[in-house]
Amino acid sequence: KEYLNHRRDREKQVLDALAAGDRDAMTMVKRIYVAYPESLYSAAAQSVTSHLKKLERDGRVQSDKGQTLWHLT
């Protein structure tokens, strides 16, 4: 249950980052993971991208064809 709550919280942070104008995973990482060392940013970007793909399947976000730029639907 704690894990699912964490995933929901992270999903909300991704949506909030999109609402604030962030369009790519690394920009979102710099907003969401600001308290973490930059050495973790690459792994964090993979996590954010996974959230974005899930949100795209849910119809809440859209991406360009290369899945590098994202926006809310």
Side-chain angles (χ1 to χ4, degrees), residues 15-63:
L15 291 168
D16 289 347
L18 284 166
D22 296 351
R23 295 290 170 252
D24 64 275
M26 190 54 73
T27 302
M28 292 179 212
V29 165
K30 290 176 183 176
R31 175 187 303 272
I32 296 168
Y33 293 85
V34 68
Y36 292 81
E38 287 186 29
S39 61
L40 299 177
Y41 281 10
S42 179
Q46 291 177 1
S47 176
V48 167
T49 300
S50 293
H51 281 284
L52 288 163
K53 288 177 180 180
K54 186 256 186 207
L55 289 165
E56 186 174 43
R57 287 190 305 273
D58 292 347
R60 299 180 72 188
V61 305
Q62 288 184 318
S63 68

